[in-house]
Amino acid sequence: MPQIPNRHPTLWIRSSKSGSLEGRTIVLAVTGSIAAVRTVELARELIRRGADVYAVMSEAASWIINPMALHYATGNEVVTAISGKVEHVEFFGKEGRADLLLVAPATANTVGKMATGIDDTPVTTFATTAIGAGKPVMVVPAMHEDMYRHPAVADNLEKLRSWGIAIVGPRMEEGIAKISSNEEIVLETERMLKGHSLRGKKILITSGSTAEAVDPIRILTNRASGKTGAELALEAYRRGAEVTIVHRNRLGMGGIREIFAESAGQMTDAVLEELSEGYDVLISAAAIGDYTLEAAGTKIKSGGSPVISLTPTRKLITEARKAFPEIRIIGFKAETGIDREELFHRALQTLANSGLDMIVANDVSQGGMGTDENSVYLIRPDRKEHGNIRGPKSLIAGALMDEIAMMLSAGDKIK
C-alpha cells in the first residue's frame, strides 16, 4: 500500500488560491495585542498561497490566543519558549531556513524592544537574530492611537524603517491604530518575497466604468465592474512596481496610489497629468464612455420623454500616445457577437491605429463584463500567434504582467 504523507490536515488548503508564496517559509511572530485573534486566518491565507508558516508567540500573546489555535492554523508546533533546539537560529541564523519574519500584530512594547536590541521574549529573540543576520523582517503595528502617537514609538518605527524593515499600516479607526487587513498584509508579503520582475517600474492603470452626469442624481454609464483593473493593480504591485490606478471605485490597499475620476473627461485629464510624472507603462483597462452630454443643473422631473443630446468623448489613448510617444501602452478591445477572426481583425486595426504595444481582446457577449472570470487574447504586433488566457481575472492579470515584464526587459536591453 502507498504510504500517506504525514501532513497536518490544515495543510490541505495549501496553494488553493495561488502559488505566489510557493517554496517560502514565513515565521509569524505574535505579540500581546487583541489583534492576535486575527492571526489564525492570516496564517491560513499565507498557506493558501503556498507558504510554509510557523508561529512564535510571546507570553502576553498566549493570554489572548491559545497556542493550540496557531498550531491548528499553521500545521506546525508553536514556539512559546526558546529551547535546546535554538529555534531562533534554526530559522534566522546565517543558514536559517526562514525567508521572512512577520511580526503581526506588533505592540508598542515589542517595537521598542526590536529597535533597542532587547530580546526577553521568544518574539524579540527571533527579531534580534533576524535583524542581525540581515533577513527580511516585516512589522505590522497594532495599539491604541495615543500609544502610536508617542514620540518614542514614532522614533522606534522610523529606526526600524532605516534598517530596511517594512512597516505595514496601521489603519487609524475608532481611536485605535488597528492592524492592517489580512489582504494588505498578504499583499505586502508577496511583494517583499516575490516583487522582482517589475521592481523599479512605474505603471498607471485605468479601471472600471466611467459615468457621465445626466443631472445631479442620474448618470450614464456601462456594466464594467473594475475587477480586471483591480487585479492588474494588485499583480503589478506584487511584482514590485510603483502602481497608480485611476477609477471611481475604491481598492483600499495602502501601497497602491488611487486617483478618483468619474467622467471620461476627468479620467483623461487625470491620466495625462499623471503621465507627466514619468511612467513606464499605461494600461488602459477602463471601459471609458464613448459619449457625454451637458448635464442638467437640477433633477429632471420624472415622466414625459426628455431628449438627451450625446456628443463623443475625447480618446484617452490617442491623447496619451500623442503627448507621450515613448511610453508603453496596453489597450483593451471588447466586442460582441463576432467570430474569432473578426475579433482579431478589429483588435489589430485598433492596435495599429492607436499605436499600442499590446491589446487585450475579447467578446463580452460570451462573458467577462462584471464576472470573476474571462477569456481573452493577448495580441502583440510582433507575433503571429495570439495567446488565449481563460480563467479567473487574477490569472489573466498574471499573464499580462508576464508579457509586460518581458516587454520592459527587452526594452532595457536595447537601451
Side-chain angles (χ1 to χ4, degrees), residues 309-387:
S309 178
L310 301 177
T311 57
T313 54
R314 296 152 57 197
K315 296 300 181 184
L316 184 151
I317 289 176
T318 300
E319 294 192 25
R321 174 53 76 213
K322 182 178 179 180
F324 304 95
E326 299 301 321
I327 194 172
R328 303 280 192 172
I329 302 180
I330 288 83
F332 279 65
K333 183 67 171 175
E335 295 287 356
T336 60
I338 60 175
D339 60 27
R340 188 175 67 170
E341 287 70 24
E342 181 62 20
L343 177 64
F344 287 170
H345 174 70
R346 295 185 189 184
L348 287 166
Q349 275 191 325
T350 299
L351 185 121
N353 294 338
S354 300
L356 298 176
D357 296 276
M358 188 190 310
I359 192 165
V360 182
N362 71 315
D363 181 347
V364 295
S365 65
Q366 304 298 318
M369 186 161 280
T371 65
D372 293 325
E373 297 191 354
N374 205 349
S375 176
V376 304
Y377 292 91
L378 306 184
I379 301 174
R380 289 178 59 174
D382 56 349
R383 289 185 183 169
K384 293 183 179 180
E385 297 295 326
H386 310 304

Side-chain angles (χ1 to χ4, degrees), residues 247-262:
H247 59 170
R248 65 187 189 99
N249 298 330
R250 173 67 178 155
L251 193 57
M253 294 293 178
I256 298 175
R257 184 161 169 261
E258 298 186 67
I259 298 174
F260 178 84
E262 182 172 72

Side-chain angles (χ1 to χ4, degrees), residues 168-236:
V168 179
R171 296 180 298 116
M172 310 304 291
E173 294 178 2
E174 300 175 320
I176 300 173
K178 292 185 178 180
I179 189 171
S180 294
S181 68
N182 284 347
E183 292 80 7
E184 185 167 1
I185 297 169
V186 170
L187 179 65
E188 293 293 346
T189 299
E190 292 170 319
R191 180 178 172 87
M192 175 170 277
L193 296 181
K194 291 289 189 179
H196 306 299
S197 64
L198 292 174
R199 184 166 293 166
K201 304 300 183 183
K202 290 184 69 175
I203 297 180
L204 180 62
I205 300 168
T206 68
S207 177
S209 63
T210 58
E212 306 299 319
V214 175
D215 62 23
I217 295 175
R218 302 177 180 91
I219 57 173
L220 179 67
T221 187
N222 60 60
R223 299 182 188 276
S225 65
K227 292 179 180 179
T228 297
E231 292 294 348
L232 288 168
L234 293 170
E235 187 61 24

Side-chain angles (χ1 to χ4, degrees), residues 269-303:
D269 287 340
V271 166
L272 293 174
E273 181 178 351
E274 191 64 22
L275 288 178
S276 67
E277 299 297 322
Y279 279 80
D280 298 285
V281 181
L282 167 63
I283 305 176
S284 184
I288 301 174
D290 292 309
Y291 299 98
T292 187
L293 67 155
E294 190 70 33
T298 58
K299 179 187 174 184
I300 299 171
K301 292 183 178 180
S302 302

